[in-house]
Coordinates of all heavy atoms in Angstrom, one line a residue:
I109 N 100.9 102.7 106.4 CA 99.8 102.4 105.5 C 98.6 103.4 105.7 O 97.8 103.6 104.8 CB 99.4 100.9 105.7 CG1 99.0 100.3 104.4 CG2 98.2 100.8 106.7 CD1 100.1 100.1 103.4
G110 N 98.6 104.0 106.9 CA 97.6 105.0 107.2 C 97.7 106.2 106.2 O 96.7 106.7 105.8
F111 N 98.9 106.5 105.8 CA 99.2 107.6 104.9 C 99.1 107.1 103.4 O 98.5 107.7 102.6 CB 100.5 108.2 105.2 CG 100.9 109.3 104.2 CD1 100.3 110.5 104.2 CD2 101.9 109.0 103.2 CE1 100.6 111.5 103.3 CE2 102.2 110.0 102.3 CZ 101.6 111.3 102.3
T112 N 99.8 106.0 103.1 CA 100.0 105.7 101.7 C 98.8 105.0 101.1 O 98.6 105.0 99.9 CB 101.2 104.7 101.5 OG1 101.0 103.5 102.2 CG2 102.5 105.4 102.0
S113 N 97.9 104.4 101.9 CA 96.8 103.7 101.4 C 95.5 104.2 101.9 O 94.5 104.5 101.1 CB 96.9 102.2 101.7 OG 95.8 101.4 101.3
Q114 N 95.3 104.2 103.2 CA 94.0 104.5 103.8 C 93.6 106.0 103.6 O 92.5 106.3 103.2 CB 94.0 104.2 105.3 CG 94.1 102.7 105.5 CD 94.1 102.3 107.0 OE1 94.1 103.2 107.9 NE2 93.9 101.1 107.3
L115 N 94.5 106.9 103.8 CA 94.2 108.3 103.5 C 93.8 108.6 102.1 O 92.8 109.3 101.8 CB 95.4 109.2 103.9 CG 95.1 110.7 103.9 CD1 94.0 111.1 104.8 CD2 96.4 111.5 104.2
P116 N 94.5 108.1 101.1 CA 94.1 108.3 99.7 C 92.7 107.7 99.4 O 92.0 108.3 98.6 CB 95.2 107.6 98.9 CG 96.4 107.6 99.7 CD 95.9 107.5 101.1
H117 N 92.4 106.5 99.9 CA 91.1 106.0 99.7 C 90.0 106.9 100.3 O 88.9 107.1 99.7 CB 91.0 104.6 100.3 CG 91.5 103.5 99.5 ND1 92.9 103.2 99.3 CD2 90.9 102.6 98.6 CE1 93.1 102.2 98.5 NE2 91.9 101.8 98.0
L118 N 90.3 107.4 101.5 CA 89.3 108.3 102.2 C 89.1 109.5 101.4 O 88.0 110.0 101.1 CB 89.8 108.6 103.6 CG 88.8 109.3 104.5 CD1 89.1 108.9 106.0 CD2 89.0 110.8 104.4
I119 N 90.2 110.2 100.9 CA 90.2 111.4 100.1 C 89.4 111.2 98.8 O 88.5 112.0 98.4 CB 91.6 111.9 99.8 CG1 92.3 112.4 101.1 CG2 91.5 113.1 98.8 CD1 93.7 112.7 100.9
S120 N 89.7 110.1 98.1 CA 89.1 109.8 96.9 C 87.6 109.6 97.0 O 86.7 110.1 96.3 CB 89.7 108.5 96.3 OG 89.1 108.2 95.0
N121 N 87.2 108.9 98.1 CA 85.8 108.7 98.3 C 85.0 110.0 98.7 O 83.9 110.2 98.3 CB 85.6 107.6 99.5 CG 84.2 107.1 99.7 OD1 83.5 107.7 100.5 ND2 83.8 106.2 98.9
A122 N 85.7 110.8 99.5 CA 85.1 112.1 99.9 C 85.0 113.0 98.7 O 84.0 113.8 98.5 CB 86.0 112.7 101.0
L123 N 86.0 113.0 97.8 CA 86.0 113.9 96.6 C 84.8 113.7 95.7 O 84.1 114.7 95.3 CB 87.3 113.7 95.8 CG 87.5 114.6 94.6 CD1 87.6 116.1 95.1 CD2 88.8 114.2 93.9
V124 N 84.4 112.4 95.5 CA 83.3 112.2 94.6 C 81.9 112.5 95.2 O 80.9 112.4 94.6 CB 83.3 110.8 94.0 CG1 84.5 110.5 93.2 CG2 83.2 109.7 95.1
R125 N 81.9 112.7 96.5 CA 80.7 113.1 97.2 C 80.3 114.6 97.0 O 79.2 115.0 97.4 CB 80.8 112.8 98.7 CG 80.9 111.3 99.0 CD 81.0 111.0 100.5 NE 79.8 111.4 101.2 CZ 79.7 112.4 102.1 NH1 80.8 113.0 102.5 NH2 78.6 112.7 102.7
S126 N 81.2 115.3 96.4 CA 80.9 116.7 96.1 C 79.8 116.8 95.0 O 79.8 116.0 94.0 CB 82.2 117.4 95.5 OG 81.8 118.7 94.9
P127 N 78.9 117.7 95.1 CA 77.9 117.9 94.0 C 78.5 118.2 92.6 O 78.0 117.8 91.6 CB 77.1 119.1 94.5 CG 77.2 119.1 96.0 CD 78.6 118.6 96.2

Side-chain angles (χ1 to χ4, degrees):
I109 219 68
F111 175 75
T112 63
S113 176
Q114 294 183 346
L115 185 63
H117 277 80
L118 189 150
I119 293 170
S120 182
N121 190 264
L123 184 61
V124 297
R125 294 181 64 239
S126 166

